[in-house]
Amino acid sequence: MKYQPVIGLEVHVQLLTDTKIFCGCSTKFGAEPNSQTCPVCLGLPGALPVLNKKVVEFAIKAGLSTNCSITPRSIFARKNYFYPDLPKGYQISQFEDPICQWGWLDIKVGEETKRIGITRIHMEEDAGKLVHGELSGPGDGSGVDLNRACTPLLEVVSEPDLRSSDEAVAYLKQLHQIVTWLGICDGNMEEGSFRCDANVSVMPVGSDKLGTRAEIKNVNSFKFVKLAIEYEIQRQIDLIEDGGTVVQETRLFDPNSGKTRSMRSKEEAHDYRYFPDPDLVPLVISEQWIERSRGELPELPEQRQQRFMAELGLPPYDAEVLTACRALADYFEAGVAAGGNAKAVGNWVMGEITRALNDSGTSIETCPVSPEQLAELLKLIDNGTISGKIAKTVFDEMWRSGKAPQAIVEEQGLIQVSDSGAIEGIIDEIIAANAGQVEEYRGGKEKVFGFFVGQVMKASKGKANPTVVNELLLNKLKG
Ligand code: ADP
Ligand code: MG
Ligand code: ZN
């Protein structure tokens, strides 16, 4: 029997607000344990939550950017469960009326585009963190750090529309791109700012009845999501083939073994005894508020790609790469605005700049070569001052010293030689010194031409204009 995998993702997006969702404590990562707490996030009796407006604004932006409807009157609910990192004994979340619903993302896998439904996006508070061992304080027991308690999260829940690990990763990457592009999440997966629960089931091919799902908790890299889903699909198929049945449960992925293992049986929604939080009034969002937010949205990656193709004539591949993140797209456009040819600026950004950033572990935000300097460098190539090859040497020096390209070219005497007299002189010498190769060429071995070009370029220290070299060489060798 053949099986069809089915996947739905729940993604937790930690919001980049300065303060927590229901109190004024800082959300800064990495502070001394419990130093960013107050009666509200410690869950002390009588303390009352006050909603952070910024969280609502971010949620609306996320919803509008993922084609959701914004709920005019949404409700906060208590999700009740006991755990030591949850001092109130419940998490404030949303249940029946979440702030965003019925959205979608169009993902690309290979050549195909596929629409993936987004069931809902809701706002909620994060829990604290348990710290085990040495760091937990005196003795070697466990401690609780409540700095993270009450940190604002969005939970983005997809429909079970994904059919492979590749589709799941494509969806996740696109969502990651959108929330970082909007500036509402730093996207740092290692620190847990963007983490995913993957729900996986399998069913016989052709069936319309979904199989029982297992939920793999808190996977925190694109690579692990792919591995975890693939392992889980195979585990379920093997189980069914062996005559077993999949049980609904929560599982953990262990990156070291590449396997998932059972953590606990899955709670159903009714186990949480959800009910509307009496401490928080319903959240009413007016049509004007939504329209104002819509007006404040930046041009999104997809729109920007389209514009790069239509206005700047970029090929689809370049447009996609250059909109991988907003800072990269901004850099590229600044280079074009400074007079660079779009295709050339794009090639340099995707080539030399990306290579240099990777080699030095720098991000585009702190690129030592400004887009204006890059445009100047390209002008020097265009007007024949330097060759494309020498430009790479100049670029490396710009990167190191921060100097302007013109200054480097002058200082190091890198100006391209286009004067045919000077180049002819070099060519004559090379021809005289390589009589054997000249014979070969004239005898029909045309490949030898490349050897001559190389020799002339070398003798000119790379400064001879390659077009002129080619032309003159061809004439001379014909004899
Ligand atoms: P819970 O919080 O109980 O996990 P949610 O409704 O928040 O429930 O999320 C359920 C997730 O599981 C959704 O992303 C949904 O698409 C996915 N899902 C539901 N049924 C299946 C299934 N049979 N196979 C795979 N994924 C599923
Ligand atoms: Mg879940
Ligand atoms: Zn607080």
Side-chain angles (χ1 to χ4, degrees):
M1 200 193 284
K2 280 286 203 181
Y3 294 91
Q4 172 63 65
V6 174
I7 300 142
L9 299 183
E10 298 161 78
V11 180
H12 284 97
V13 178
Q14 187 177 316
L15 296 177
L16 266 180
T17 54
D18 295 330
T19 56
K20 296 184 177 179
I21 180 170
F22 298 121
C23 64
C25 294
S26 167
T27 51
K28 213 164 157 33
F29 183 80
E32 181 76 5
N34 298 306
S35 62
Q36 295 169 347
T37 54
C38 73
V40 174
C41 52
L42 290 174
L44 299 187
L48 290 173
V50 177
L51 178 59
N52 181 342
K53 187 170 182 186
K54 195 103 206 191
V55 173
V56 181
E57 278 168 3
F58 284 2
I60 295 175
K61 286 193 173 153
L64 293 176
S65 306
T66 52
N67 308 295
C68 287
S69 301
I70 309 300
T71 311
R73 188 173 183 277
S74 76
I75 305 287
F76 285 97
R78 290 187 181 179
K79 180 178 182 179
N80 298 282
Y81 67 95
F82 172 78
Y83 204 67
D85 65 6
L86 189 74
K88 293 194 296 292
Y90 61 85
Q91 176 193 26
I92 306 179
S93 181
Q94 297 195 292
F95 185 56
E96 275 174 343
D97 298 300
I99 184 162
C100 312
Q101 301 179 79
W102 311 306
W104 77 82
L105 285 181
D106 286 333
I107 61 164
K108 259 211 266 147
V109 181
E111 291 303 297
E112 278 176 51
T113 301
K114 184 170 170 186
R115 180 156 295 185
I116 306 301
I118 290 178
T119 318
R120 54 189 277 140
I121 301 178
H122 65 252
M123 300 173 281
E124 63 185 24
E125 57 179 347
D126 207 344
K129 236 186 229 167
L130 292 187
V131 190
H132 305 289
E134 259 176 79
L135 287 171
S136 63
D140 54 2
S142 294
V144 60
D145 175 8
L146 293 174
N147 282 349
R148 201 181 64 182
C150 224
T151 295
L153 301 176
L154 295 181
E155 180 172 335
V156 183
V157 182
S158 86
E159 288 288 302
D161 287 345
L162 300 156
R163 291 290 176 270
S164 67
S165 59
D166 286 337
E167 289 187 9
V169 171
Y171 166 86
L172 206 57
K173 283 191 171 165
Q174 196 174 337
L175 188 60
H176 185 267
Q177 183 191 29
I178 290 174
V179 295
T180 51
W181 191 283
L182 288 172
I184 66 175
C185 173
D186 67 17
N188 189 329
M189 295 177 82
E190 267 167 41
E191 287 176 7
S193 309
F194 185 93
R195 53 191 197 260
C196 155
D197 301 343
N199 296 270
V200 178
S201 68
V202 299
M203 62 184 180
V205 167
S207 163
D208 53 10
K209 193 171 166 296
L210 297 187
T212 303
R213 70 180 154 122
E215 180 188 45
I216 311 161
K217 271 283 176 206
N218 285 335
V219 197
N220 69 349
S221 83
F222 295 124
K223 189 176 138 206
F224 292 161
V225 168
K226 187 172 162 64
L227 293 175
I229 291 174
E230 281 167 6
Y231 176 84
E232 185 57 23
I233 291 170
Q234 199 52 52
R235 185 189 72 86
Q236 294 183 12
I237 293 175
D238 292 346
L239 189 63
I240 296 169
E241 295 277 278
D242 284 350
T245 43
V246 177
V247 292
Q248 182 158 327
E249 63 180 350
T250 300
R251 300 180 68 86
L252 276 184
F253 176 68
D254 175 5
N256 293 320
S257 66
K259 296 178 175 177
T260 65
R261 62 185 159 79
S262 183
M263 183 166 115
R264 56 168 189 252
S265 70
K266 171 81 194 163
E267 303 84 352
E268 295 289 346
H270 61 249
D271 294 327
Y272 289 119
R273 299 292 192 272
Y274 279 102
F275 65 90
D277 191 316
D279 290 339
L280 288 155
V281 294
L283 173 64
V284 175
I285 299 170
S286 67
E287 202 52 48
Q288 291 93 302
W289 189 359
I290 297 172
E291 286 320 308
R292 186 159 17 93
S293 290
R294 204 189 297 280
E296 286 166 11
L297 286 180
E299 187 183 30
L300 292 168
E302 179 64 30
Q303 299 163 311
R304 206 152 183 196
Q305 259 175 49
Q306 295 300 332
R307 184 166 61 77
F308 282 179
M309 292 191 280
E311 271 180 21
L312 302 176
L314 287 188
Y317 174 80
D318 297 22
E320 192 180 326
V321 175
L322 292 168
T323 51
C325 74
R326 199 166 160 188
L328 194 70
D330 287 346
Y331 185 100
F332 162 73
E333 273 208 280
V336 176
N341 163 281
K343 181 71 189 150
V345 175
N347 283 340
W348 275 76
V349 172
M350 295 189 296
E352 292 305 299
I353 300 250
T354 302
R355 177 190 59 74
L357 291 174
N358 287 343
D359 288 352
S360 61
T362 321
S363 71
I364 189 76
E365 284 91 343
T366 51
C367 182
V369 172
S370 72
E372 292 74 21
Q373 287 177 321
L374 175 63
E376 265 177 60
L377 178 67
L378 297 182
K379 255 178 243 162
L380 295 180
I381 305 175
D382 275 350
N383 65 22
T385 307
I386 54 173
S387 68
K389 188 145 184 272
I390 290 284
K392 300 203 167 150
T393 312
V394 177
F395 175 80
D396 287 340
E397 185 55 29
M398 288 163 74
W399 188 277
R400 257 197 302 279
S401 66
K403 284 186 190 157
Q406 182 73 40
I408 294 169
V409 168
E410 282 165 14
E411 271 172 31
Q412 307 197 358
L414 295 171
I415 294 178
Q416 174 163 263
V417 180
S418 301
D419 168 46
S420 41
I423 295 177
E424 261 189 278
I426 300 176
I427 291 181
D428 287 342
E429 279 172 31
I430 301 281
I431 286 185
N434 296 282
Q437 278 86 344
V438 175
E439 279 312 300
E440 284 181 25
Y441 181 78
R442 290 184 178 155
K445 210 173 160 197
E446 298 205 349
K447 269 210 231 150
V448 187
F449 190 74
F451 161 78
F452 284 103
V453 175
Q455 291 296 309
V456 175
M457 292 309 289
K458 199 169 149 201
S460 77
K461 301 204 172 63
K463 287 187 285 184
N465 181 327
T467 317
V468 179
V469 171
N470 272 285
E471 230 168 69
L472 291 176
L473 250 182
L474 210 55
N475 280 331
K476 294 258 176 189
L477 284 173
K478 272 188 195 147

